Amino acid sequence: MNVDVLLGLQWGDEGKGKVVDVLAPDYQIIARFQGGPNAGHTLEFEGRKHVLHIIPSGVFRNDCVNIIGNGVVIDPIIFEKEIIGLTPYCPNIFKNLIISKRAQLILPSHRLLDAAYEAEKGCAKIGSTLKGIGPTYTDKISRNGLRVGDILSPDFHKKYTELKEKHIQILNMLKFEYKLEEEENKWFNSIELIKKFSLIDSEIEVNNLISKEKKILAEGAQGTMLDIDFGSYPFVTSSNTVCAGACTGLGIAPSKIGEVYGLFKAYCTRVGSGPFPTELNDASGEQLRKTGNEFGSTTGRPRRCGWVDLVALKYSVMINGVTGLIMTKADVLNEFDEINAAVSYSINGEIFENIPYDLSQNIIPQYKIFKGWKTDISKTTSKSELPLELKEYIKFIENFVKVPVIMVSVGPDRKAIVDLR
Ligand code: GDP
Ligand code: IMO
Ligand code: MG
């Protein structure tokens, strides 16, 4: 059985948590492959809202095993908070959640470094979530990192201290003021909680499950435009958010990838700094933010809003080999008279149909205008009930990127989904 992958095609927050929760009953395993507590994946059901950061979004489905893969970075303190919040709803969590020994640990000093580097950048700051993501992946790549498996080693404290000392040298060089002791105590307490979970060689487990014909869904975090290689560099995160990241972040061979579900909002948002060609700094942008409740799930920051960018979407579909598109938050456009979709970019008077190397140039998006449906679609459950104008909007997107839209999400609840297949 091949592994299906679900990931974001824009700048994150496409509704991955919600859709993984919707699809989870079809799978026996949900596995996160990259990112860490910078992610905020929201699930809503039975009148309650849950936001997950490190834990995969299959955790509320009792029969699902959830794997935190080797590509993920874990902050033990945030992990503990998440577990405590989930225990009343997921009584089997200690059995149903397993963690790769190869996942990297975020130290309290990684978080300090994140803040110090951002402060150093001044106006050019990335707008990081300040969870220590960049410095932790930096240590992984420079072969200095601490891994979950290290917590079982007798010289774990020594390894921790050596890495912390390296960080302190940098913090002192940057003249960054800090306090560490309290956070360190909490961190070591949380490490004890991690020890209560199954810490495994998840790449072996995942491949065993594949050979036993188990159905696995790999859950991405962030989005393609935040990918370290293909996103709007340097305003990106520090991992491969694209489909290839599922191979390296779980230990799956490329030949074992099955369906690739690409999520996109019916419009577009971005949180943090960096280029955003279709951004709307006007009443329509404000309306999207208000109707879509566009405030960060992790940091609470207002998200920047704009029209859907089909130039970027086409690029994301290509990089990921998307086999099925899932449009989310279509209901947020209910009230709009007109809906715009960028189909090309004008740069210095020249028209471009592909995304340029430098997205920070003065880009004027060229829009195709669609008639709005002006109907409340949030209770719609079947394809036949969808308004004609929305069907035309979807058809245009399918033809533009040459991949079918297989589902439309029409509200935050797990029931608010229309299957188009
Ligand atoms: P993720 O990071 O991709 O999981 O997305 P987030 O959870 O950060 O942000 C998506 C937000 O939109 C959350 O508040 C969801 O509850 C909400 N949401 C998801 N799908 C829909 C939808 O179809 N319509 C509306 N109105 N809200 C949605
Ligand atoms: P989910 O999984 C939206 C953004 C940050 C910042 C940049 C780098 O919920 O879609 P980092 O903390 O990784 O150093 O931040 O990436 N960012 C996200 N934006 N959704 C996310 O995750 C994000 N994770 C990081 O705002 O611009
Ligand atoms: Mg999010």
Side-chain angles (χ1 to χ4, degrees):
M1 186 68 74
N2 284 337
V3 176
D4 296 339
V5 181
L6 182 147
L7 41 74
L9 299 177
Q10 296 165 323
W11 276 282
D13 304 327
E14 297 89 349
K16 297 175 290 293
K18 182 223 153 130
V19 179
V20 170
D21 175 55
V22 168
L23 296 179
D26 294 339
Y27 291 90
Q28 285 139 325
I29 296 104
I30 307 292
R32 264 283 296 272
F33 59 85
Q34 45 69 234
N38 49 350
H41 294 182
T42 314
L43 291 75
E44 276 193 46
F45 53 90
E46 292 159 14
R48 249 195 218 96
K49 179 168 155 174
H50 302 270
V51 182
L52 300 171
H53 301 287
I54 306 169
I55 294 171
S57 302
V59 73
F60 295 101
R61 303 289 192 175
N62 269 338
D63 302 327
C64 254
V65 172
N66 292 271
I67 300 179
I68 299 179
N70 58 278
V72 175
V73 289
I74 301 177
D75 183 330
I77 299 176
I78 296 178
F79 177 80
E80 178 172 16
K81 247 194 231 154
E82 223 173 317
I83 294 294
I84 291 172
L86 286 173
T87 312
Y89 307 99
C90 314
N92 294 331
I93 199 156
F94 283 88
K95 190 166 107 309
N96 288 355
L97 179 67
I98 54 188
I99 306 172
S100 168
K101 282 202 258 184
R102 292 172 195 270
Q104 297 271 329
L105 290 171
I106 302 178
L107 273 55
S109 44
H110 279 131
R111 266 190 275 134
L112 293 172
L113 283 175
D114 215 352
Y117 290 142
E118 280 285 75
E120 192 71 6
K121 279 181 188 278
C123 297
K125 71 175 184 183
I126 307 294
S128 161
T129 59
L130 301 178
K131 303 292 177 194
I133 305 296
T136 306
Y137 279 116
T138 301
D139 275 341
K140 173 181 178 175
I141 300 300
S142 64
R143 298 158 292 185
N144 288 308
L146 273 188
R147 298 185 293 173
V148 166
D150 293 331
I151 69 180
L152 307 172
S153 136
D155 59 355
F156 176 57
H157 277 255
K158 183 169 161 274
K159 285 182 173 168
Y160 170 87
T161 308
E162 278 170 9
L163 184 53
K164 181 186 79 172
E165 293 299 333
K166 284 188 186 142
H167 295 163
I168 286 176
Q169 277 183 20
I170 304 171
L171 290 167
N172 289 341
M173 206 175 68
L174 294 173
K175 299 190 169 50
F176 190 81
E177 283 184 30
Y178 59 87
K179 283 199 206 110
L180 252 181
E181 208 180 302
E182 202 180 309
E183 284 299 289
E184 274 185 304
N185 291 338
K186 273 201 240 167
W187 194 84
F188 277 104
N189 282 335
S190 304
I191 289 286
E192 294 306 310
L193 179 79
I194 294 186
K195 285 184 185 163
K196 295 189 178 150
F197 286 84
S198 295
L199 311 179
I200 59 158
D201 296 313
S202 62
E203 66 284 13
I204 294 179
E205 177 69 10
V206 165
N207 282 284
N208 279 340
L209 292 164
I210 293 173
S211 43
K212 286 185 193 154
E213 299 286 307
K214 302 284 183 196
K215 285 198 78 181
I216 305 176
L217 180 66
E219 172 180 0
Q222 291 79 56
T224 302
M225 298 310 291
L226 288 172
D227 179 87
I228 184 76
D229 283 282
F230 302 107
S232 46
Y233 192 86
F235 299 98
V236 293
T237 191
S238 299
S239 65
N240 279 119
T241 62
V242 296
C243 186
C247 294
T248 57
L250 289 170
I252 302 167
S255 59
K256 293 284 194 293
I257 299 291
E259 300 298 330
V260 181
Y261 301 121
L263 265 67
F264 71 104
K265 282 180 191 174
Y267 50 99
C268 201
T269 64
R270 165 161 213 172
V271 62
S273 339
F276 180 4
T278 59
E279 181 170 14
L280 293 167
N281 290 306
D282 61 7
S284 297
E286 198 45 51
Q287 191 180 341
L288 287 170
R289 181 156 41 248
K290 203 159 156 251
T291 316
N293 191 23
E294 293 296 357
F295 296 89
S297 314
T298 297
T299 58
R301 291 178 292 178
R303 294 176 182 146
R304 299 154 67 193
C305 297
W307 297 120
V308 79
D309 183 340
L310 298 183
V311 180
L313 195 73
K314 195 169 68 175
Y315 180 77
S316 297
V317 164
M318 173 187 80
I319 296 289
N320 292 297
V322 172
T323 60
L325 287 164
I326 299 173
M327 177 193 271
T328 60
K329 305 194 85 161
D331 56 298
V332 175
L333 300 180
N334 282 346
E335 304 281 320
F336 281 82
D337 294 323
E338 283 183 343
I339 292 155
N340 290 15
V343 291
S344 60
Y345 294 159
S346 168
I347 305 171
N348 297 325
E350 206 182 324
I351 298 293
F352 292 83
E353 286 176 358
N354 286 311
I355 216 157
Y357 167 75
D358 181 8
L359 256 192
S360 67
Q361 306 168 73
N362 184 20
I363 294 175
I364 304 167
Q366 306 297 296
Y367 290 109
K368 175 164 170 67
I369 302 171
F370 296 83
K371 194 162 171 275
W373 42 92
K374 307 279 283 180
T375 320
D376 181 8
I377 58 166
S378 61
K379 303 278 182 301
T380 308
T381 51
S382 73
K383 185 178 174 179
S384 59
E385 289 171 74
L386 289 178
L388 198 66
E389 293 84 354
L390 173 55
K391 283 186 181 154
E392 281 181 0
Y393 185 49
I394 291 173
K395 188 178 252 168
F396 182 84
I397 294 173
E398 290 181 323
N399 286 336
F400 195 89
V401 305
K402 300 198 171 48
V403 175
V405 175
I406 57 166
M407 282 185 180
V408 183
S409 174
V410 294
D413 193 88
R414 64 158 66 135
K415 292 200 183 107
I417 194 99
V418 182
D419 200 321
L420 305 181
R421 290 170 291 187

